[in-house]
Amino acid sequence: MSFQTPLTIYDAIKNISSRKYLLPAIQREFVWSEEQIERLFDSIMRGYPIGSFLFWKVSKESVKKYQFYEFICHYHQGKSHNQKAVLMGDEEIISVLDGQQRLTSLYIALKGSYASKVPYMRWNNPAAFPKKYLYLNLLKEADDEDLKYDFRFLTEEDAKKRDENTFWFKVGDILNFDPQDPSQINDFLIENQLATNKFASRTLFRLSDVIFKRTLINYYLEEDQELDKVLNIFIRVNSGGTQLSYSDLLLSIATAQWDKRDAREEIIKFVDEINNIGRGFAFNKDFVLKTCLVLCDFNDIRFKVDNFNAQNMAIIQNNWDKIKESIRTSVELINTFGFDYQTLTSNNAIIPIAYYLYKKGLNSSYVTSSNFRSEREKIKKWLHIVLLKQIFGGQSDNILRIIRDVIRDNLNGFPVDIMKQRLKGTPKSLDFGEDEIENLLEYEYGKRYTFSVLALLYPTLDYSNLFHQDHIHPRSFFTSREKLLKLGVKPEDIDFCLENYNKIPNLQLLQGNINMSKSAKPFIEWLDENYKDDIAKNQYKELHYLSGLDLSIVNFRHFFNKRKEMMKDKLMQILMF
């Protein structure tokens, strides 16, 4: 391995565009944020070092032996994956072992775009991912004291907005200028009335200089063709520090060792598949890799390089279809329980479910078959309990091994009672005390564990439908002390109302369309409008723990405390079994 003559950024971008530079299958995917790319360009403009790179020269004889991927040009946070490179094998290529994130960032900024999710918009909304390009403000330095140059990812529409301190120049347009002909930049400045602005002129010429002329890509070149050696170099370079997540490293090793399938492509595609079930989940490669270790009954299920040896990877590869079926069925099952990416507070909690299905050889029919209805209810209750007890928090390997052993030895049904007995008296106990149950009712609207508490209180709902967490007494009533006083609440109860209106005793689960119609109406008014029949009204009250309660906002404190008692009694029946 030797140090080579440095390249310009322009040369590197040309090599990526022509597919001379590619990524090996052992590389992770692109993970840099917009801010990281913006800071990279600020560093380049200020003459700061951006680190060295490590390339692998793959001979034309070796190209056909391995799988390579192209760089991402137009990044989309929700669905961007590197595409397989189709190579003829008649020429050598350069494979990037270290520096992929930086090179991809340069490529996206100069030739592509970046689409990240807008906060609070749903993942399945196309408008949540506007296409943005990297721009540089030619009129003013960055406001951030850590930065000098104001680089920002903007939509084309936002970039058109100009004032006396703002002129956004699309960074990729610098490639349209001939670096040997400075008059082109001068003409641009004149055409845009920037010729007399020294900052604009210096900034644009400096951008051209750092892209076309300065040799900033310092790299080492490895020419050995043995994958084992290259893999060892890759691990040495990427496993120390935070440059590469451990799951990415392990996926890289699996990819190098699977001979019948492409592990990287299979696992990434499968993660996308299960994340698209129902209203969406947030599973990742870590979850799939960990589940593989558990389902294949390896003694050691820690994320260690040694556990991803050739023998173990062969077992996972040979059982991959069955593993996928078990995981997919588990996700489909918990989707019917009403879970999604917001309410499933621990992905690892469904690994025991997947293990049970795997050992029993059960497929997707398990989710709907009437033969398993009672067992599904038992699993649903167990899942809510383990999430509320947070037994998979922190280092969960030990608890996963214990539960796996219990399931493996008790396959006549999902062994909830035996698990409970096995964990009794340990820090991971499934037992609830009275104080713990009372504390569950302190969870607030929209918080991580609120759904599980409400779902235990509403065991008969069909969660294949969308249910909203709804405030019985609308939260719009609790915006100020003055509003509550106008509604007739006693002055001495105001603080209590403001402190507690958002907690579970003022919440219910309502089907989405019904909740929309309820809106912010006073609860008694809404109830009378929608349930004119006394029998129906009483059934509603019974379902929602409202029987015998004063439902007027005036007596909110009494309502809250009495409903809390009813809910606590119900939870004690459910949880203290």
Side-chain angles (χ1 to χ4, degrees), residues 272-495:
D272 286 345
E273 178 189 340
I274 57 178
N275 279 340
N276 284 322
I277 292 174
R279 290 182 294 278
F281 289 90
F283 297 109
N284 53 26
K285 300 184 295 293
D286 298 52
F287 166 76
V288 174
L289 290 169
K290 177 67 70 177
T291 307
C292 288
L293 295 176
V294 175
L295 267 57
C296 290
D297 278 322
F298 299 139
N299 289 328
D300 194 343
I301 59 173
R302 289 176 294 173
F303 268 16
K304 293 174 54 181
V305 172
D306 291 348
N307 291 333
F308 285 74
N309 56 49
Q311 181 180 353
N312 286 354
M313 289 306 96
I315 293 172
I316 292 173
Q317 180 179 216
N318 292 336
N319 290 280
W320 176 238
D321 288 333
K322 187 179 176 184
I323 291 171
K324 284 198 302 181
E325 177 75 19
S326 299
I327 297 174
R328 185 190 301 111
T329 301
S330 299
V331 179
E332 290 172 350
L333 178 63
I334 67 165
N335 174 59
T336 68
F337 298 165
F339 284 102
D340 58 23
Y341 68 97
Q342 293 177 306
T343 53
L344 183 65
T345 53
S346 170
N347 288 340
N348 283 348
I350 76 162
I351 294 178
I353 302 173
Y355 182 77
Y356 177 74
L357 299 175
Y358 182 83
K359 298 301 285 187
K360 294 274 286 188
L362 296 166
N363 57 29
S364 59
S365 65
Y366 182 83
V367 177
T368 55
S369 172
S370 60
N371 294 331
F372 300 105
R373 183 180 292 113
S374 62
E375 187 170 84
R376 290 195 299 268
E377 289 300 314
K378 183 185 292 188
I379 291 175
K380 178 169 68 173
K381 177 180 173 181
W382 172 85
L383 181 56
H384 284 302
I385 289 172
V386 297
L387 292 175
L388 290 172
K389 293 292 289 187
Q390 302 177 41
I391 71 168
F392 293 100
Q395 297 295 320
S396 61
D397 289 342
N398 189 49
I399 190 67
L400 281 171
R401 279 194 300 269
I402 292 171
I403 292 178
R404 180 182 65 178
D405 292 345
V406 170
I407 293 173
R408 184 174 55 224
D409 297 337
N410 300 276
L411 287 171
N412 291 329
F414 196 73
V416 174
D417 293 337
I418 302 175
M419 286 185 216
K420 186 172 183 288
Q421 188 61 36
R422 175 65 177 82
L423 297 171
K424 198 174 191 65
T426 73
K428 302 294 186 178
S429 170
L430 300 183
D431 291 323
F432 279 89
E434 186 174 343
D435 289 343
E436 280 184 285
I437 291 175
E438 185 154 359
N439 288 336
L440 294 179
L441 296 170
E442 293 292 308
Y443 285 121
E444 296 188 338
Y445 173 86
K447 298 302 182 183
R448 287 171 55 82
Y449 298 98
T450 301
F451 170 75
S452 281
V453 179
L454 287 170
L456 286 171
L457 290 165
Y458 289 86
T460 61
L461 296 184
D462 179 3
Y463 289 97
S464 59
N465 298 313
L466 175 62
F467 284 88
H468 291 176
Q469 295 178 26
D470 170 67
H471 291 79
I472 294 174
H473 291 292
R475 55 182 162 179
S476 59
F477 289 0
F478 300 86
T479 53
S480 69
R481 303 178 68 86
E482 292 71 24
K483 191 162 191 175
L484 287 169
L485 286 170
K486 286 181 180 180
L487 290 169
V489 178
K490 298 173 185 176
E492 60 267 27
D493 289 341
I494 298 292
D495 288 339

Side-chain angles (χ1 to χ4, degrees), residues 72-85:
I72 289 174
C73 183
H74 296 282
Y75 176 77
H76 187 291
Q77 187 182 359
K79 56 186 178 183
S80 277
H81 302 303
N82 298 88
Q83 300 298 309
K84 277 186 177 181

